[in-house]
Amino acid sequence: MENGTHLGSAWQDSPEVPSLIKHISSNDVAGFDDMTSLTKDQCQTSESESHSPSNDGDETEPIYHRQRVHSVSISMPQSPVAVHLQNTRRVLFSSDTIFEDGIPDASVVSGAACGEPPKHHSQPIRTAAAYNEAIGGGQFSYHQSIRRLKDKRYDSFKTWSGRLERQITLLRGKSPPESKTEDEKVPNREVEKNLPVHRYFDALEGPELDTLKASEEMVLPDDKTWPFLLRYPISSFGICLGVSSQSIMWKALATSAPAKFLHISLRVNLVLWCISIALIATVASIYLLKMVIYFEAVRREYYHPIRINFFFAPWISLLFLALGLPPSVANNLPPALWYVLMTPIFCLELKIYGQWMSGGQRRLSKVANPSNHLSVVGNFVGALLGASMGLKEGPIFFFSVGLAHYMVLFVTLYQRLPTNETLPKELHPVFFLFVAAPSVASMAWAKIQGTFDYGSRIAYFIALFLYFSLAVRLNFFRGFKFSLAWWAYTFPMTGAAIATIRYSNEVRNVITQAMSVILSAAATLTVTGLLITTILHAFVLRDLFPNDMAIAVSDQKPIPQKKWFHLRHGSSDSKDIEQYLKFAGSDGKDLEASLKHQNY
Amino acid sequence: MDDQNQSQPQIEITIDAPNDTEQPHREPLIIIRRSSSLILTKFHGGHFRISLSLCSQALLWKTLGDPIDDAHAFRRVLSILPSNAFLFLWSLAFFTLVSQSTLYILRCFFRFEMVKNEFFHHVGVNYLFAPWISWLLLLQSSRLIAPTTIYYQVFWCASVLPIVVLDVKIYGQWFTKGPWLLSTMANPASQLSVIGNFVGAWAAAQMGWRECALFLFSLGMTHYLVLFVTLYQRLSGSSSLPVMLRPVFFLFIATPSIASLAWESIAGNFDVSSKMLFFLSLFLFMSLVCRPALFKRSMRKFNVAWWAYPFPLTVLALAATKYAQEVRGARAHALMLLLSAVSVLASLALIIVTVITSNNIFSQSPKSTLLKIPNPPA
């Protein structure tokens, strides 16, 4: 007997229901699959209004006629046994079903107009209880598949979910398991193209937009620990940023004249540099693996308004490596290397700044957040490296692009527009990124011009001011959950220290020397503290890589569950259904609106 | 014309053809009167894009054709271009600008209401700068009038004065007045006001009037900073510009290029600031070229907004020319040649397309004429 919470309530009331259900249940699994294969052949643009009851007595129900399947089918709301997270099995009622009176129309809302790009329907998995219940119900006989259910839940994120395994099994000489039901052939083409940015804002909260709101649901199960690769965020490249900038700092301390009194050997730089190389190699290979196996997860990180900026981090780390090159390893780098390193940054920039300028849903006033500094800093670091290599025009190019966009970003962040949903309300270590751009810009300009002239000094003093205004508010940086992204926030401190060292080269007196020592010490202390915390979390607390909720956002607002339980009572039926339909209708509009802007 | 005003609630007025009860020998007069009234009604500020593009093309040809000492090999290639071609182009630009200016003056007399509506429209008001910019560019590109003569100076004053007056009005509105605040009115076409200042500064510097040039340059630069940030923020989303006007996004390229050229004539050589502005313009060009989807919908049917493409490309090519002159590398000259070729091709293509569809622009049967008059903002 179908659980009333899973199917429409109207069915409870209609005397026809039992006969229908009997009718349906008499269809075997194969017949059910035929339906699904049929619907699959048609353009499957069904939205996951699987939450929707397909039929009710409401005449005002908006009907989107897509294609009528002249066969009996069930509208399937989310079923916990949905092995197929990817497709909502949108099965249509045709008008010639059993329902005559009471429920006149049985054509079903099946999504927006045909021709829209197929949307990804991830059926959120309900609680384990319902899941077990439904399995026990034995209504759906996916015998073999259920056993592999646990693997299937991550299939939506796998790059070649199922197919690769099948091929490998074939290659190994074993026969592929029989009755591979439809659900296993994940139609990758169905996977969504764009998760609209407002979904991230609606579903996530927190200064790094990584905690799921209580009312939201996840695509992936929240009760289990996910595979390691799924939990590995792009912000891990922040560690590379932090450590490689440290190597530059120690190199500057060892080689610059005002710091000679500290008698720091170049060994420190060499050691740190080698550690950075190892770190970058490790992190990069793990992330590459993640990209190969779980491409969907990488894509969702790319569309996350904060994580997108961390895609610059690997390239900036490589630039730092080149900047921090120990003199004992090599003295000169070939200029071609600079072009190679700057190309990915350039391409990413074209994409992101273009979105700022023309994007409907990803425009700057909506998505501006302090992590955007990472996308601007890359320009200045590249200019610095190019100028130190002796190039002339390229560094100026990137400097000017970075300067223009930094100005825009700076103004936008300072405005703290009310439309901006990503700015953390309280102070958070991410604010240290404010210090990064001016300090690196001052060093880059000094290298381009040859001397630490007025332009560089202006930029340097701005950086210093921002640094101090954050440092005196250190008290307010408490009480935040540690995350790997914090490593990325240490490199501005290091950058400010390096800029101070360069400044003290130019203006040599006790104060500047003292400042360079103090700032370097502060940077080193922060990095050490962070290292200890990281080790603590990794080995003692073992929660360095928690479930990455930011990528598991579902693409639809969930229907509040309560409605289902109340729908047993007939009187409140129509009201609830009306309310639901209004909700669904507006969702549809939102999605359409966001889809319209998809091309921007 | 329709496209410009689509974003506002519109009143559609259908003009029905009056029954022709007049005597046969009066028919030609009636037809002329009808078609001229049609022309005056359908002509609007956006049509000045055509003269803007042609005048800037003439300037590009003049710059490329001017002999310079110690020219790079690539540059000498251009000297094989016939000078008659420049003359022809200049005359075409002159003729177009004169006819369009006359048309607009007539429109001011006979259709003043429509001109007023244009003034109140957030996109249309910026095209009031376009005629003056075109005149200044034409002046600079003329080989007959040297910058030191009195005619040049008089002409300059006559062109720059309206620009300054419009500046005072519009920039003042940006931060003081009601529905004309920058945050609500900003759209890519607003950069035309900034371009006007830079062109005035450029022409002034060539005359030797350095202080005037600096004044106009700083005025333009300040407002450019504000406008650039506002436009990038996209506070009002994508609704500030109707889809048909997407080619106007190319103005993002034009402004830094003109600024770099203006600064170059003020400072005397293409120094770091000019280079930085040129590079910014180059980056924006590449950024827009990589987003063809942005322009797809506006490219379905020809409309006068397509003329928004050549002017920024030409100005970018001009800046590239000065850059190549300064840097003297093979790559810089190759870039200059490439950009010039792109701009020439774009202008040529647009001229051809316009000529082909010109019978559709100005001659429609009166019955099917729909005039869309925007409501002034409340």
Side-chain angles (χ1 to χ4, degrees), chain B residues 9-276:
Chain B
Q10 292 158 0
I11 306 170
E12 291 189 7
I13 303 176
T14 315
I15 297 180
D16 287 323
N19 282 331
D20 200 354
T21 54
E22 321 263 348
Q23 315 228 336
H25 69 267
R26 288 216 214 153
E27 268 188 29
L29 201 65
I30 292 163
I31 293 175
I32 293 174
R33 209 193 297 164
R34 207 180 293 161
S35 56
S36 60
S37 98
L38 208 65
I39 291 177
L40 279 187
T41 332
K42 293 196 81 173
F43 186 80
H44 60 95
H47 283 97
F48 275 103
R49 292 184 191 113
I50 305 179
S51 44
L52 209 56
S53 307
L54 289 174
C55 296
S56 56
Q57 265 299 301
L59 187 54
L60 176 67
W61 283 59
K62 171 173 182 262
T63 316
L64 285 177
D66 268 349
I68 51 167
D69 22 89
D70 201 16
H72 192 264
F74 283 177
R75 184 73 182 261
R76 272 180 252 130
V77 161
L78 293 168
S79 59
I80 59 174
L81 292 170
S83 61
N84 286 335
F86 165 71
L87 220 57
F88 171 69
L89 180 62
W90 194 90
S91 328
L92 178 66
F94 180 68
F95 170 70
T96 317
L97 185 55
V98 164
S99 50
Q100 286 194 329
S101 308
T102 328
L103 271 174
Y104 208 77
I105 292 175
L106 287 174
R107 185 174 146 101
C108 286
F109 280 129
F110 296 118
R111 298 271 184 279
F112 188 66
E113 274 306 311
M114 301 187 76
V115 175
K116 217 160 64 134
N117 284 337
E118 267 192 73
F119 183 73
F120 288 129
H121 191 265
H122 66 285
V123 175
V125 69
N126 302 298
Y127 282 97
L128 296 178
F129 283 91
W132 315 111
I133 302 177
S134 310
W135 279 113
L136 278 171
L137 286 174
L138 198 64
L139 185 65
Q140 282 184 289
S141 66
S142 102
R143 285 221 171 104
L144 301 170
I145 309 180
T148 43
T149 60
I150 186 78
Y151 301 110
Y152 196 103
Q153 295 173 355
V154 166
F155 218 94
W156 182 90
C157 290
S159 303
V160 166
L161 191 64
I163 292 184
V164 174
V165 166
L166 275 170
D167 271 350
V168 168
K169 175 91 178 94
I170 292 172
Y171 293 159
Q173 274 175 185
W174 277 7
F175 66 100
T176 52
K177 194 166 175 190
W180 286 280
L181 291 177
L182 182 61
S183 47
T184 49
M185 294 269 280
N187 61 82
S190 315
Q191 293 175 83
L192 268 175
S193 55
V194 171
I195 291 177
N197 288 313
F198 285 141
V199 173
W202 187 14
Q206 287 187 331
M207 284 197 299
W209 292 9
R210 232 171 138 246
E211 296 308 309
C212 276
L214 262 176
F215 169 72
L216 284 170
F217 184 84
S218 51
L219 193 61
M221 203 38 145
T222 319
H223 292 95
Y224 181 48
L225 285 176
V226 174
L227 189 60
F228 188 73
V229 173
T230 313
L231 285 176
Y232 248 90
Q233 284 180 336
R234 301 289 306 257
L235 287 166
S236 53
S238 44
S239 59
S240 64
L241 207 64
V243 177
M244 283 300 140
L245 286 187
R246 286 279 168 75
V248 171
F249 264 92
F250 266 62
L251 273 180
F252 270 105
I253 305 171
T255 325
S257 296
I258 292 256
S260 122
L261 288 165
W263 186 250
E264 190 253 346
S265 35
I266 292 177
N269 66 328
F270 207 83
D271 65 354
V272 181
S273 316
S274 298
K275 281 189 197 171
M276 284 176 42

Side-chain angles (χ1 to χ4, degrees), chain A residues 22 101-102 109 119 122 175 182 199 216 239 300 327 361 368 425 447 473 478 485 496 500 527-528 536 538-539 564 575:
Chain A
K22 225 181 350 167
D101 45 70
V109 175
K119 286 217 46 92
S122 329
S175 58
E182 286 300 312
R199 276 304 300 152
E216 291 288 331
I239 309 182
R300 278 165 168 255
Q361 49 164 325
K425 302 286 180 296
K447 261 283 170 357
R473 297 191 160 80
R478 308 244 180 115
T500 315
V527 169
T528 322
L536 201 72
F539 298 116
W564 291 108
K575 247 196 296 167

Side-chain angles (χ1 to χ4, degrees), chain A residues 443-466:
Chain A
M443 287 192 283
W445 190 248
K447 261 283 170 357
I448 290 176
Q449 293 292 87
T451 64
F452 208 90
D453 67 350
Y454 289 136
S456 306
R457 287 180 206 204
I458 291 176
Y460 171 65
F461 292 142
I462 293 176
L464 216 56
F465 172 77
L466 289 167

